[in-house]
Amino acid sequence: ECHARLLVIFDRSGSMAEPWETADGSEPRWRVAAQALDAALTPLADRLTVGAILFPSPSAAPSECGDVDPIGAQMPFDDGERFLARWRNFWEAPSLGGSTPLDAAFDRADEALPVDDLVTAVVVLTDGQPTCRGEPLAEEHAAAWRTRGIKTWVVGLPGTGLDSEDVLNAIARAGGTDAYRPVDAPASLDDDL
């Protein structure tokens, strides 16, 4: 049976609290995305090792370029069941706010990704343009991971404007997945994940 590693890079900036119309009414983007990820991972939990980088970090003070904590201070890699238990617990009382430091999140992801033979993928969920750019750029990390056989999937939630499409597409192309996946409705988010 195949076992794989998944790293989730999840946007928890202030805009993720914006409403998203679902079949059951209006929900914040973060809730819809967190629940969709949970639903996608649950049937695969016994075959996955999963970790998550949240950006900006829950401990970061709101600023133009919020901090991103290392994975050890966030959601370190663990077997799928234990990861999902921590994931659900975190979102019971989430702390959102601040900027969208996507490049800093990729820096932390690069530190977190072990160099081994375990099949690995990265999934990025965000609703917008990075509020500041860093060096190296997120797409440069994705290109380097691709040379190691790690694909980077980018999912753009509602709110992703035309100004951010170029950035998200550049990351997806560099990561070997051709283009980012724009999501307009919660049901399509479930399907994409």
Side-chain angles (χ1 to χ4, degrees):
E1 183 171 304
C2 178
H3 196 81
R5 180 187 297 115
L6 176 67
L7 177 61
V8 177
I9 303 176
F10 195 95
D11 184 350
R12 57 161 296 282
S13 63
S15 60
M16 288 291 282
E18 294 293 320
W20 194 0
E21 288 303 316
T22 71
D24 298 324
S26 183
E27 296 281 351
R29 292 178 192 155
W30 66 262
R31 178 174 290 140
V32 176
Q35 290 174 345
L37 185 69
D38 187 328
L41 295 183
T42 295
L44 305 171
D46 62 339
R47 293 179 282 156
L48 289 175
T49 298
V50 187
I53 302 277
L54 306 174
F55 68 98
S57 294
S59 63
S63 69
E64 185 177 330
C65 296
D67 293 329
V68 179
D69 290 335
I71 196 169
Q74 296 203 45
M75 293 188 185
F77 286 107
D78 206 342
D79 73 69
E81 295 290 341
R82 284 195 295 266
F83 170 83
L84 285 171
R86 283 199 326 269
W87 183 257
R88 293 170 190 140
N89 185 56
F90 177 83
W91 296 108
E92 284 180 11
S95 166
L96 275 78
S99 59
T100 309
L102 188 60
D103 296 319
F106 271 69
D107 287 343
R108 292 302 193 182
D110 192 58
E111 295 169 3
L113 287 170
V115 178
D116 58 26
D117 293 332
L118 190 62
V119 177
T120 303
V122 175
V123 174
V124 182
L125 289 105
T126 184
D127 72 344
Q129 174 81 4
T131 50
C132 55
R133 299 302 321 250
E135 292 292 337
L137 297 173
E139 51 267 36
E140 293 169 5
H141 281 303
W145 300 338
R146 184 179 181 186
T147 66
R148 294 170 42 195
I150 301 170
K151 288 192 173 188
T152 303
W153 302 91
V154 182
V155 178
L157 304 177
T160 304
L162 293 175
D163 57 343
S164 57
E165 287 183 2
D166 289 344
V167 172
L168 301 183
N169 274 323
I171 295 167
R173 277 193 303 275
T177 57
D178 298 327
Y180 91 101
R181 295 175 170 271
V183 178
D184 297 321
S188 61
L189 175 59
D190 290 350
D191 292 342
D192 281 340
L193 286 173

